[in-house]
Amino acid sequence: MPILEIKNAELSINNKKILKGLSLNVNEGETHAIMGPNGSGKSTLSYMLAGRDGYELDNGSITFDNTDLTPLSPDERSNLGLFLAFQYPVELPGVSSTNFLREIFNSRKKYLGENELSHLDFIKHLRKVAENLSIKDEMLKRYVNFGFSGGEKKRFEILQMALLNPKISVLDETDSGLDVDALKIVSEGVNNLKDKNNAVVVITHYQRLLDYIKPDIVHIMSDGKIIKSGDADLALYVEKNGYSEILNEKS
Amino acid sequence: MKKARNDQFFSNLEKFVDKVYPNQPQRQPYLSLKSWPSPRDEAWKFSRLGKLARKNILPLSWGNQQDFNINKLIKDSISLVFVNGKFEKKLSDKLFSEIVIEEVQIEDFKEIINKFDNLSVKNHPTLNSTLSCSQKFFKIKFKNDIKFYKPIEIFNLGGSENTSIHPFIYIDLEKNADVQVFQHYSTHAGLLTPFEIINLSENSNLEIIKIYDDKISSYNLSLTLSVIKEEANLRSFALIKGGEFTRSEMHTLLEGENSKADINGIYLSSGNQHHDLTSCIYHNVPNCKSSQIVKGVLGEESTAVFQGKVRVEKLAQKTEAKQMSRAIMLSDKAVSNSKPELEIYADDVICGHGATVGELDEDQIFYLSSRGISKQKAKVILVDAFLNEMISLSISDKFHDIIYNETKSKINKLLANEYE
Ligand SMILES: Nc1ncnc2c1ncn2[C@@H]1O[C@H](COP(=O)(O)OP(=O)(O)O)[C@@H](O)[C@H]1O
Ligand SMILES: [Mg+2]
């Protein structure tokens, strides 16, 4: 069953075309990896999916779970079960992490028509989930992402993913800035959430992450398009030979 | 057509003083001011009094005491109630023996005022009108070593549309006293000119929280002069939300080494309100610290200004002075100004200042919305966070929630008006 279908997406920022006819299909249960040189439009794709202002399509379509995403606001898309782990998570000074997590957790529960958790039950649940990601209580007492190290920010993104339990997660360079131990923790976190009804799209520069999060399909993105797709071996090939050969082959 | 500016108030004031205090020549020097400061006066450039000058305001005769509901913020606080600028013992709580409230004369605090003579408070409309026509001058004295676990709440009440009231209070902390004071301005006065003197003796501590919430048509021109001695610490926080025009002006003189002053504030402005936080800190001796941190949220067609001055005398080496202002504009018709002034004559000082004005951060709004929070709710969370951070930084933890709640209703109203 397809969860996400992007057809011929074209998008420009400040009159500059960034996405130039990108298509991508993701089915339930699949893990996809998108690799590509800096500036090829990977983060733009992720913002477009999340519905950021200014990232509206010029042409093409996005369907998520049989729903046309284009008219929906970011919060509506999140409620439908789309999650983006930011490449650069945003600091929210003055917003306590615990309160923030409770707010997003309960608003998702409410949307799903499930019971919200009491303060105490939520804290218990949060502790358990945080522990799996080696996130200490102390971190949750701080303001959201404020003064977090690069690695802490990435783990905090996955913590949110675990609490929201989305149908599809797009992880934008979640591996960058992580040492091997942190990479393992984060990957395990993602793998634990994976089941046959949801899907994951990881955007990465490095094959390294794909040793831990095994992709079913690997896409190479360049200049606003997906130019080649293949199985996990494609990532190994890119790791060994770089992008240039694939880029040349295309032109 | 606009009525001509006539500064009627000052001749009314003169007549009032001649009639009510015929034999008190000490009041006469404060009748020299004949008009409101003009916009050409640098100190009033961003806070214009033209509209006030066209009003015919009469000083209020006290008359009979009315009944008032006293809504304390702190359950076990000690209340001192001033109605129409007059101390009402019957409405106030009983004092403890370590606190003395006594009537004083102008001569008793003249020396303190003189210290500010050259510092632009001479001929200040608040100082002049309150010293010329306040009924009585009260000093509240906190004796040596008192550690006051119960805060004092001072309530300023009363007033009516076309009359003025002129509260005076002299807060005097003796050595090692440690006190918390709330000042409530909740009047209906057309004009009020609260004049306050603070004297902090060696090693004393005062936390003072002022809540400006007068009627929406009021002009409140509050003025505070503080003198801080060695090792003493003034922690002042102003929350401005009421009035048509509210100015909280504080002049703080650090004259003992190792003393400290934090003069912070928040303004929440809506409709056609004008809010003004003016603070001047004078570092006269070495090794003192000060901060002036102001945050504001403005909606609709409101205007606001933060004027922050720091003067560091040549002698005052090792001064640390910090200044910061930040305003969030919820409407593009609102206007916020910031006027930092640093006059530094010493060479070994650390001074930091910065000012930003802007809308809520789009990246932050997007981040919150991408987690399923509506745009409207995201804005509420961000404004809350903005104020929350400021309140945590500025006041004692035990008062945090109380002050936060005091901002809540105004913020909800501001956001509802902007985003419905
Ligand atoms: N806000 C923006 N304004 C202008 N150009 C942008 C903006 N964001 C991204 N771009 C441009 O879009 C292109 C793709 O960027 P991005 O999606 O961040 O690439 P990637 O994530 O693959 O490194 C780059 O050329 C970048 O300079
Ligand atoms: Mg990127």
Side-chain angles (χ1 to χ4, degrees):
Chain A
M1 271 270 285
I3 289 194
L4 178 70
E5 288 180 271
I6 306 175
K7 280 199 194 122
N8 265 315
E10 290 178 30
L11 182 156
S12 35
I13 296 168
N14 300 336
N15 293 322
K16 187 179 149 203
K17 269 257 178 293
I18 309 287
L19 299 185
K20 303 178 179 174
L22 180 142
S23 297
L24 178 69
N25 289 323
V26 180
N27 293 312
E28 279 179 347
E30 289 178 350
T31 299
H32 289 231
I34 298 179
M35 304 178 79
N38 265 331
S40 52
K42 302 185 296 297
S43 292
T44 304
L45 168 65
S46 74
Y47 289 147
M48 185 272 283
L49 284 172
R52 184 173 194 146
D53 274 352
Y55 288 75
E56 293 81 16
L57 288 181
D58 300 336
N59 270 310
S61 65
I62 345 166
T63 313
F64 174 64
D65 224 13
N66 298 318
T67 310
D68 175 13
L69 272 194
T70 46
L72 302 185
S73 60
D75 51 310
E76 291 168 326
R77 295 180 192 204
S78 166
N79 282 328
L80 283 180
L82 183 136
F83 180 83
L84 167 63
F86 282 51
Q87 182 174 5
Y88 303 109
V90 179
E91 297 186 348
L92 304 176
V95 181
S96 113
S97 294
T98 304
N99 290 349
F100 165 78
L101 295 170
R102 195 173 72 229
E103 180 78 40
I104 66 174
F105 179 81
N106 278 334
S107 75
R108 173 115 176 106
K109 286 275 173 221
K110 206 160 141 192
Y111 178 84
L112 293 173
E114 297 171 15
N115 284 338
E116 298 179 25
L117 290 188
S118 72
H119 183 69
L120 211 67
D121 288 343
F122 173 74
I123 297 292
K124 276 187 204 154
H125 178 60
L126 174 61
R127 284 241 170 84
K128 215 168 56 202
V129 181
E131 209 171 273
N132 290 336
L133 292 163
S134 298
I135 291 173
K136 293 197 198 85
D137 269 6
E138 177 274 327
M139 197 175 124
L140 299 175
K141 287 192 182 121
R142 290 194 252 154
Y143 295 145
V144 174
N145 289 321
F146 191 66
F148 286 15
S149 70
E152 284 174 333
K153 283 182 180 166
K154 297 301 168 82
R155 270 182 284 154
F156 195 70
E157 293 293 286
I158 303 306
L159 175 61
Q160 295 172 55
M161 173 180 163
L163 289 172
L164 293 177
N165 194 17
K167 276 194 206 147
I168 190 163
S169 305
V170 179
L171 313 183
D172 191 359
E173 299 206 22
T174 299
D175 52 335
S176 64
L178 295 184
D179 59 31
V180 178
D181 290 338
L183 189 66
K184 268 189 204 160
I185 292 166
V186 164
S187 309
E188 263 168 38
V190 174
N191 290 332
N192 286 339
L193 293 169
K194 191 75 198 56
D195 64 32
K196 61 181 192 338
N197 298 317
N198 61 23
V200 174
V201 177
V202 294
I203 294 172
T204 180
H205 271 303
Y206 305 104
Q207 133 72 23
R208 186 177 77 143
L209 174 70
L210 305 181
D211 287 339
Y212 299 99
I213 302 178
K214 298 261 185 260
D216 302 302
I217 302 173
V218 174
H219 309 275
I220 308 299
M221 185 164 170
S222 166
D223 194 24
K225 281 198 293 267
I226 285 172
I227 55 165
K228 196 177 173 88
S229 303
D231 59 16
D233 291 342
L234 181 57
L236 292 168
Y237 178 86
V238 168
E239 178 83 353
K240 218 166 96 200
N241 306 304
Y243 293 111
S244 49
E245 215 160 309
I246 297 169
L247 300 182
N248 291 339
E249 175 184 316
K250 196 74 196 168
S251 55
Chain B
M1 210 181 81
K2 271 187 180 177
K3 263 202 276 176
R5 190 187 157 108
N6 60 14
D7 298 298
Q8 182 74 41
F9 171 72
F10 291 93
S11 47
N12 293 344
L13 195 67
E14 206 172 321
K15 279 183 214 139
F16 179 86
V17 171
D18 286 346
K19 187 170 140 224
V20 182
Y21 312 110
N23 301 315
Q24 298 192 20
Q26 68 274 24
R27 293 176 185 264
Q28 287 299 323
Y30 302 104
L31 287 170
S32 58
L33 195 65
K34 301 291 180 212
S35 62
W36 294 105
S38 90
R40 283 188 301 277
D41 184 336
E42 195 55 36
W44 296 88
K45 195 164 102 184
F46 291 107
S47 293
R48 300 177 171 222
L49 298 174
K51 194 170 165 199
L52 176 62
R54 282 188 289 276
K55 289 187 181 177
N56 189 3
I57 290 176
L58 287 164
L60 188 66
S61 309
W62 298 283
N64 285 334
Q65 173 201 316
Q66 302 149 259
D67 259 346
F68 283 93
N69 282 332
I70 310 299
N71 297 315
K72 288 186 185 181
L73 278 185
I74 320 275
K75 231 182 22 226
D76 62 350
S77 69
I78 297 169
S79 64
L80 299 176
V81 180
F82 290 76
V83 176
N84 301 335
K86 180 167 166 270
F87 178 54
E88 294 293 353
K89 200 168 179 176
K90 280 207 203 107
L91 295 174
S92 305
D93 286 332
K94 267 223 188 78
L95 293 176
F96 287 63
S97 58
E98 296 91 339
I99 310 176
V100 181
I101 206 165
E102 62 189 16
E103 199 187 329
V104 290
Q105 300 307 318
I106 294 177
E107 300 80 69
D108 300 321
F109 51 83
K110 189 83 197 4
E111 195 193 339
I112 292 185
I113 294 177
N114 286 344
K115 293 183 188 207
F116 293 88
D117 250 10
N118 299 325
L119 306 173
S120 73
V121 297
K122 204 168 189 165
N123 278 327
H124 191 289
T126 296
L127 188 147
N128 279 36
S129 52
T130 294
L131 293 188
S132 60
C133 91
S134 189
Q135 186 207 21
K136 282 181 178 163
F137 304 105
F138 282 106
K139 171 159 121 174
I140 160 166
K141 186 163 84 182
F142 298 89
K143 291 190 181 169
N144 281 333
D145 300 311
I146 170 176
K147 295 270 176 290
F148 226 72
Y149 58 98
K150 287 187 180 185
I152 307 288
E153 286 193 71
I154 301 173
F155 292 88
N156 294 281
L157 307 169
S160 62
E161 189 70 29
N162 290 309
T163 58
S164 64
I165 60 180
H166 306 276
F168 174 92
I169 189 92
Y170 174 8
I171 298 173
D172 186 18
L173 272 66
E174 295 189 342
K175 284 182 191 170
N176 309 320
D178 189 343
V179 181
Q180 290 148 343
V181 175
F182 284 74
Q183 270 275 23
H184 297 272
Y185 300 101
S186 318
T187 74
H188 290 249
L191 167 68
L192 70 160
T193 65
F195 180 34
E196 178 177 274
I197 290 179
I198 295 175
N199 182 49
L200 301 191
S201 306
E202 286 78 358
N203 200 37
S204 64
N205 265 299
L206 173 65
E207 173 165 19
I208 183 160
I209 295 172
K210 303 183 184 200
I211 300 173
Y212 294 88
D213 196 12
D214 298 296
K215 202 179 165 197
I216 197 70
S217 54
S218 299
Y219 270 68
N220 184 331
L221 308 181
S222 119
L223 174 69
T224 304
L225 305 181
S226 310
V227 174
I228 307 182
K229 301 276 170 32
E230 268 151 58
E231 312 271 344
N233 188 351
L234 173 63
R235 200 172 185 196
S236 165
F237 178 77
L239 171 61
I240 303 185
K241 48 183 185 168
E244 176 177 345
F245 178 116
T246 302
R247 169 160 164 136
S248 174
E249 177 172 347
M250 313 250 326
H251 294 258
T252 309
L253 182 59
L254 292 157
E255 63 168 30
E257 282 198 46
N258 299 310
S259 61
K260 194 164 175 267
D262 297 303
I263 311 294
N264 297 352
I266 285 178
Y267 56 87
L268 307 172
S269 323
S270 61
N272 291 308
Q273 288 183 309
H274 176 77
H275 289 155
D276 174 337
L277 274 150
T278 293
S279 163
C280 304
I281 298 184
Y282 310 100
H283 283 265
N284 281 16
V285 295
N287 298 312
C288 296
K289 288 186 182 152
S290 70
S291 76
Q292 294 159 300
I293 303 175
V294 167
K295 284 193 182 179
V297 181
L298 294 95
E300 298 165 282
E301 293 172 37
S302 60
T303 55
V305 60
F306 165 62
Q307 312 192 84
K309 177 168 167 170
V310 178
R311 186 156 102 186
V312 182
E313 295 293 347
K314 202 163 180 180
L315 252 174
Q317 301 295 358
K318 307 265 183 226
T319 287
E320 279 179 40
K322 186 166 65 184
Q323 191 182 82
M324 211 267 295
S325 73
R326 205 176 149 211
I328 288 184
M329 318 297 285
L330 298 177
S331 135
D332 50 14
K333 290 198 193 109
V335 179
S336 158
N337 287 298
S338 163
K339 195 175 98 183
E341 258 183 284
L342 303 178
E343 276 181 40
I344 299 171
Y345 303 104
D347 41 32
D348 186 9
V349 298
I350 301 172
C351 278
H353 75 110
T356 56
V357 175
E359 291 164 33
L360 288 169
D361 187 294
E362 284 298 329
D363 288 348
Q364 294 182 333
I365 293 175
F366 173 58
Y367 189 72
L368 287 162
S369 341
S370 77
R371 271 48 176 149
I373 293 170
S374 71
K375 207 166 178 175
Q376 164 72 21
K377 180 87 207 242
K379 288 180 175 178
V380 174
I381 290 175
L382 291 174
V383 170
D384 266 3
F386 177 72
L387 299 176
N388 187 30
E389 204 193 3
M390 180 67 189
I391 293 168
S392 301
L393 176 98
S394 304
I395 66 173
S396 299
D397 288 348
K398 63 178 169 187
F399 300 137
H400 179 282
D401 292 355
I402 290 165
I403 294 303
Y404 177 75
N405 285 338
E406 284 294 298
T407 65
K408 206 57 210 148
S409 58
K410 178 94 192 206
I411 281 299
N412 288 344
K413 197 175 126 214
L414 261 171
L415 288 166
N417 289 350
E418 294 303 333
Y419 299 122
E420 70 201 359

